[in-house]
Amino acid sequence: MIAFGETGLDKACNIPMQLQQDIFELHLRKAVELRKPLVIHCVKAWEELIEISAGYPIRMILHGYNGSAQLTDHLLQKGFLFSVGKAILDPRSKIHQSIRRIPPTAILCETDNSNVSIQDIYAGLCASLDIEEAELKETIFNTFARLISHYAKV
């Protein structure tokens, strides 16, 4: 196991928020115990997510991130990493307001369960960041390697 998750908070689903928060805290504690980074799903529950996750000594990766510039700035201050997916291919997506605010060393890429290829995600991200694909891939690889090696240490 490389990372723990996907877990988090989602105000768009029918599961009671208190139950979601309790389970999320359980997952945070388990990720600390297992010394693994945590992959987080969050929908419309950012303040709750930030409050609950504060103080846990693990790296947290925001899955399928598509937040505004203001939210991104706030999350950057808290040390989150950002996994970008198919939203980068939609020019109307909020990720275009914020992607240049995120240091390349805090960006990962994903396809999730879409039928979009990782190559398409790379291409969309390269266009948004105005960088070459080889540079993006090297940066993402190094970010991932640092993340994993940090947790491999005993």
Side-chain angles (χ1 to χ4, degrees), residues 37 59 61 81 108 142-152:
R59 294 304 310 259
I61 304 158
L81 296 174
L108 297 166
N142 290 335
T143 298
F144 181 76
R146 275 190 313 277
L147 181 67
I148 300 311
S149 69
H150 172 79
Y151 289 99

Side-chain angles (χ1 to χ4, degrees), residues 29-146:
R29 289 191 302 273
K30 191 52 111 172
V32 170
E33 175 188 328
L34 296 173
R35 297 185 40 78
K36 301 292 182 188
L38 188 66
V39 180
I40 298 174
H41 170 94
C42 187
V43 176
K44 301 178 182 179
W46 295 105
E47 289 307 316
E48 294 88 344
L49 176 90
I50 291 166
E51 181 181 329
I52 293 168
S53 64
Y56 283 91
I58 55 170
R59 294 304 310 259
M60 295 179 224
I61 304 158
L62 299 168
H63 155 70
Y65 186 71
N66 187 24
S68 68
Q70 181 182 10
L71 176 60
T72 301
D73 290 343
H74 192 59
L75 293 166
L76 280 167
Q77 291 173 1
K78 304 296 181 185
F80 287 93
L81 296 174
F82 302 80
S83 184
V84 178
K86 69 179 182 176
I88 198 70
L89 303 177
D90 181 353
R92 298 163 295 161
S93 176
K94 290 184 280 184
I95 192 66
H96 292 286
Q97 302 169 12
S98 58
I99 194 64
R100 288 185 174 265
R101 296 169 116 77
I102 304 171
T105 56
I107 296 174
L108 297 166
C109 291
E110 66 180 76
T111 59
D112 199 21
N113 64 352
S114 72
N115 51 356
V116 174
S117 75
I118 196 67
Q119 288 303 125
D120 290 341
I121 304 297
Y122 288 152
L125 196 51
C126 287
S128 294
L129 295 173
D130 195 28
I131 62 173
E132 296 295 320
E133 187 174 308
E135 179 183 352
L136 174 70
K137 285 180 176 180
E138 181 178 355
T139 302
I140 289 171
F141 177 82
N142 290 335
T143 298
F144 181 76
R146 275 190 313 277

